[in-house]
Amino acid sequence: MAIASLFRPIRKYPTLPDLVITATSIRCLSSLSQPMDDRQQPESKKRVVVCGGGIIGVCTAYFLAKKGAAVTLVEKSSVACAASGKAGGFLALDWCDGGPVESLARASFNLHRSLSEELNGPDSYGYRPLTTLSITVTESGPSSPSGSKSSGDSTIPSWVDGATRGPRTIGTTQTTAQVHPQLFTRTLLNTAVEKYGVEVVIGKLEQLRVEEGRVGSVVLEGGRVIESDSVVLSLGPWTGKFEMLASMFRVSGLKAHSIVLEPKDPGAITPHALFLSFHPQGGKAMDPEVYPRPTGEVYICGMSAEEEVPDDPEQIVGNPASIAMLKRVGKSVSSHLREGEARVKAEQACFLPCTEDGVPIIGEVPGMKGCYVATGHSCWGIL
């Protein structure tokens, strides 16, 4: 899920500047209040370097600094420049139930709610509860009239006026919510910098220095050395490009496309997230997603494929055919989202970090004390 100046908000959302300063193991949930190792002295601050300025790295930096650690966050490009700035920002309480991350997902959903209260989430980064619907949408022909939904079902909001059927509520305002992920990430980091003293360094991680089985420092491209007691590697899909980690496990990149539309009448778009079964003319059914935002925009995503992750996140561009298909989705869902009625604000792509078994890789690296990794969250990174 980097776009500077992403919004012209309806409400007074703050303009968050790019930060350029001089991005959990499940077992860790039960020990968040414990020191990261027994060498910490009461009078000294634990020095932690967090590598990666996406949502995982920024949240880790925020909470560690809030608990008293001296945190340096290293990001090679810009904060939230990749999936954390281009994702849908969808949150679900119980959609991971029955799997290994059930307790983590539920704790995180509730943590988002409390963070929103702490940081004024509705105004700062678009936090709000949502009703979530599953709907089948069939693409209409070029001569078909628009603006008349076929199902007549009151479950479907009035702005969803394409050829729809089979609506089903799959999330309520108690179980699903959203944030704007780029605003959320930057709000959290701005707070971490201003309130808790996190230092942000723009630079590329070159290597870790390890002595007697314990990490001691981080070396950046160009030779800068940052001493540390612990290091957190939250490199997302770039995990596989860091040799030390690539030899331990495989993290691949799933390239996902998205567009951001600005309707002429944003007030008509109600807070309903849509999970679609979309049937295009002359093509196979697909499963795009539509997320209206309180900023007045509508985010549409889908069209994913596994590809090689480029070295530079700024080099990631969308496939034109995939972007064109998402525009077809938009106009098939709603007359408010068709060309002429909505302005295209962004056409983009990002890479989701995926593991072979679909479970995130989170925890201390075996045989390397003080070195932690957090990656492979796939589509649930924002949660």
Side-chain angles (χ1 to χ4, degrees):
M1 12 156 88
I3 307 167
S5 273
L6 198 55
F7 310 104
R8 189 176 70 216
I10 298 176
R11 290 150 64 177
K12 293 184 178 179
Y13 284 75
T15 300
L16 297 175
D18 286 327
L19 285 163
V20 181
I21 305 175
T22 46
T24 0
S25 167
I26 294 175
R27 63 184 170 79
C28 288
L29 285 174
S30 61
S31 57
L32 288 175
S33 63
Q34 302 300 314
M36 294 181 75
D37 72 70
D38 56 10
R39 298 186 307 163
Q40 184 175 13
Q41 299 300 316
E43 68 274 9
S44 66
K45 280 193 170 187
K46 170 71 70 176
R47 300 169 302 172
V48 183
V49 177
V50 178
C51 298
I55 189 73
I56 304 298
V58 166
C59 285
T60 303
Y62 175 85
F63 285 108
L64 287 175
K66 187 178 180 181
K67 287 180 175 291
V71 179
T72 301
L73 184 135
V74 176
E75 163 57 41
K76 71 175 179 180
S77 182
S78 59
V79 172
C81 66
S84 296
K86 300 175 183 177
F90 181 72
L91 311 173
L93 171 69
D94 53 7
W95 288 26
C96 297
D97 280 6
V101 296
E102 174 181 338
S103 60
L104 182 60
R106 283 178 166 268
S108 297
F109 184 85
N110 293 325
L111 185 57
H112 267 286
R113 185 185 292 117
S114 60
L115 270 176
S116 176
E117 295 171 356
E118 179 183 332
L119 301 175
N120 190 21
D123 292 326
S124 298
Y125 50 81
Y127 175 88
R128 68 177 176 184
L130 285 173
T131 297
T132 303
L133 304 175
S134 169
I135 305 177
T136 297
V137 176
T138 302
E139 184 175 26
S140 301
S143 61
S144 300
S146 181
S148 177
K149 58 185 174 186
S150 59
S151 74
D153 193 305
S154 60
T155 304
I156 301 178
S158 59
W159 60 274
V160 181
D161 53 13
T164 61
R165 58 185 170 85
R168 186 165 54 92
T169 301
I170 56 176
T172 69
T173 53
Q174 300 301 310
T175 61
T176 52
Q178 72 180 143
V179 297
H180 185 291
Q182 186 183 68
L183 281 178
F184 175 71
T185 305
R186 292 182 176 178
T187 297
L188 217 61
L189 188 54
N190 278 345
T191 305
V193 169
E194 294 166 6
K195 195 170 181 180
Y196 303 120
V198 168
E199 179 187 6
V200 179
V201 174
I202 302 300
K204 182 179 179 181
L205 172 65
E206 189 73 31
Q207 65 173 331
L208 301 182
R209 289 182 178 169
V210 181
E211 298 176 4
E212 298 180 353
R214 172 174 288 279
V215 68
S217 60
V218 169
V219 182
L220 305 185
E221 190 175 64
R224 178 174 176 178
V225 177
I226 306 175
E227 302 293 332
S228 60
D229 299 302
S230 296
V231 174
V232 179
L233 302 173
S234 49
L235 306 177
W238 287 273
T239 300
K241 292 184 177 291
F242 189 54
E243 187 176 352
M244 185 194 84
L245 298 182
S247 62
M248 296 182 183
F249 42 74
R250 181 173 181 264
V251 177
S252 59
L254 184 69
K255 188 176 184 180
H257 293 76
S258 59
I259 59 174
V260 180
L261 304 177
E262 183 181 63
K264 285 184 177 179
D265 183 14
I269 312 297
T270 56
H272 289 80
L274 309 178
F275 283 69
L276 306 180
S277 174
F278 178 67
H279 297 262
Q281 286 197 329
K284 295 181 179 179
M286 57 189 68
D287 302 307
E289 299 163 16
V290 179
Y291 302 111
R293 288 173 168 167
T295 51
E297 303 160 332
V298 176
Y299 172 99
I300 304 175
C301 65
M303 306 301 293
S304 302
E306 191 166 321
E307 289 186 20
E308 178 65 24
V309 180
D311 290 335
D312 183 358
E314 307 290 354
Q315 294 175 347
I316 300 172
V317 295
N319 179 299
S322 297
I323 296 296
M325 179 58 75
L326 292 178
K327 293 178 181 178
R328 288 167 60 184
V329 170
K331 71 179 183 180
S332 297
V333 167
S334 174
S335 58
H336 293 274
L337 304 181
R338 67 188 178 188
E339 188 176 359
E341 294 299 317
R343 181 172 72 90
V344 180
K345 295 190 70 176
E347 301 174 355
Q348 58 197 17
C350 62
F351 282 85
L352 307 180
C354 301
T355 61
E356 292 176 322
D357 61 3
V359 179
I361 300 166
I362 313 171
E364 192 169 35
V365 175
M368 195 177 302
K369 296 295 292 181
C371 181
Y372 298 81
V373 65
T375 187
H377 295 75
S378 185
C379 62
W380 291 116
I382 306 301
L383 174 65

